Amino acid sequence: MKMPILWNKRQIPDTKKLVPDWYVILGEIDASNYDVTYSVENFFVIKTQAVKSYNRRFIVVGNVWLSNRCRLLELLHLKEKYTDKEIIAHLWETKGEECLNLLEGMFSLCIWDNRERQLYLVRDGVGCRTLYYTSSGKICVIAPRLATLLPFHSQQLDLVALRDYLCCAFVPGEQTLWENLYELSAGMVLQMESSTGRINYVNQKLFWEAREDIQNTEESLTWHGLQLRQLLNEVVREYLPVDESVGVYLSGGLDSSCITALAAQIHNHPVHTYSIHFGENCPNELEFSSLVAQHCKTHHHILEITPDDMWEKLPLVMSCLDDPIGDPLTVPNYLLGKIARVNSRVILNGEGGDPCFGGPKNQPMLLNRLYDTVNNTEENLVTNYVNSFKKCSSYLPQLLQPEVLTTVKDKPFVFADYLYREESYLNRLMTINIKFKGADHILTKVNNMTVVNDLQGLSPLFDKRVVEMAMEIPPQYKLAGAQEKAVLKQAVLDILPRAIIERPKSGMMVPVQYWFKNVWQRRAKSLLLNKNAEIAPYLNQDLIRQWLNYRGDAWRRYGVKLWLLVSLEIWLQVQKR
């Protein structure tokens, strides 16, 4: 490793905002009012190019990156010049929906069938790409970015989605924070048509979903670790760019360290790693990230992020998200993306290690299951799961305005069906984390914060094949007592320093608790307690005032809650601009 490069805010270059603004309309419209690039019947493509299949029956629009494109080209006997969208168009022509099981990568698609006059919406199995839609009854408008659809729906908040955001710091499932505006679920195919002036939903089904399929229970941890290592080698190799450098976000934890080590071992071009810290007075993990960078001989870059950076960049970051995400790491993700683009076009990360391999965030629910004989009932399972996020769920009766609470208090959470499945308890928790936190929080954040910086962000541990293998591995090799991610540690035991393998997970802790109390308090009061605040009609500002004054904060959790509320308020403001 060369001496790490230390970045500061003034050195971070400006990059052009590159956000997809295309959309598709199904239904009867006056095409002269739109920037139409392709149309047929009641199907209109706006601001992007459509791709046709061989016989011109199928029209494909979307955002696509296929990691297995070489194998698919061989299957179709096509030449390298064909784009990923053209590959899908030809596959759909020969195999229909069944072709989706052949695709590895990231995609959100609109596929028009000229013969049947029907439109298919498709989102990849893990949810790396997003697709949103809204219908007025006469037309349906579809786009990869939620903000593109704002002119087509009423700006009324979905109160159940608001409740879920306050509980989870993201909006899980098909709902969004806006009424009548929906997100296509990961692994979903939605089939619709325009008939007699109405939009009809013909069919909706999952083509892929993470499901428990435990195999080879008689084999050892070493054996399962070897199978996982072979797959990780294959996936990372596919994700690496050809004949150019690659970047990796490196926290110093197990997940990002293993991706760094695999990339450095496989790639024949420079590997740049990027770490952050929050000033010399705040705890950091630079000791461990620097150890991995030195061990893997990467070009290491370190960025210091100040409280002013966090506060000043938050409006821009919220404008780049679809639904709000109350995770303090959104701003660091954006800032790291800006410096990463200087050296690389592709950036890898370690996201997915916890959801797929039994990270420590599952432990509170597992311990509750084992030891809480009073509250451990089926009726309390969803409540316990929502409370495990440690956000605002236990404060909802005081935080929500009475009329809002009345509307949402008896509404079910989307997690319920998955918590009651006939699967091992750990795999139920992992399935929920993959389907909801993965698709609706982690991966959409990765995608939006890299796209805006003209980067391609890739998450090898969230690859569909890795998820499938994780659901085949016996639960005792993922999380057993205090030992988490045992099989992942076994898989990379030979390429990481023992200090990384043996250290407990600490997580990248943004010091929002300290900064709200010592730096942001006045600004936050001005923002959240204003009588004209966007959140005022929905939330109790007297309780928020108590949090801002840190009254009764025995568990030192008010900072996380306040960041969640500040993110929501700013998101609402930038959306309505």
Side-chain angles (χ1 to χ4, degrees), residues 36-48:
V36 174
T37 52
Y38 177 87
S39 66
V40 59
E41 302 276 339
N42 289 335
F43 175 66
F44 301 88
V45 178
I46 292 97
K47 295 185 178 180
T48 192

Side-chain angles (χ1 to χ4, degrees), residues 316-351:
L316 173 58
V317 168
M318 287 298 113
S319 73
C320 296
L321 293 174
D322 295 305
D323 269 325
I325 295 175
D327 177 0
L329 283 172
T330 51
V331 176
N333 287 158
Y334 169 78
L335 293 172
L336 269 183
K338 291 180 78 68
I339 65 170
R341 186 61 184 90
V342 174
N343 301 295
S344 308
R345 182 184 57 85
V346 174
I347 187 82
L348 308 183
N349 61 69
E351 301 285 12

Side-chain angles (χ1 to χ4, degrees), residues 29 59 184 328 439 539:
I29 62 170
I59 309 300
L184 190 68
L539 305 183

Side-chain angles (χ1 to χ4, degrees), residues 24-55:
V24 163
I25 298 178
L26 179 64
E28 297 178 3
I29 62 170
D30 181 354
S32 64
N33 294 328
Y34 303 89
D35 183 12
V36 174
T37 52
Y38 177 87
S39 66
V40 59
E41 302 276 339
N42 289 335
F43 175 66
F44 301 88
V45 178
I46 292 97
K47 295 185 178 180
T48 192
Q49 295 301 311
V51 168
K52 303 178 182 67
S53 64
Y54 275 137
N55 62 11

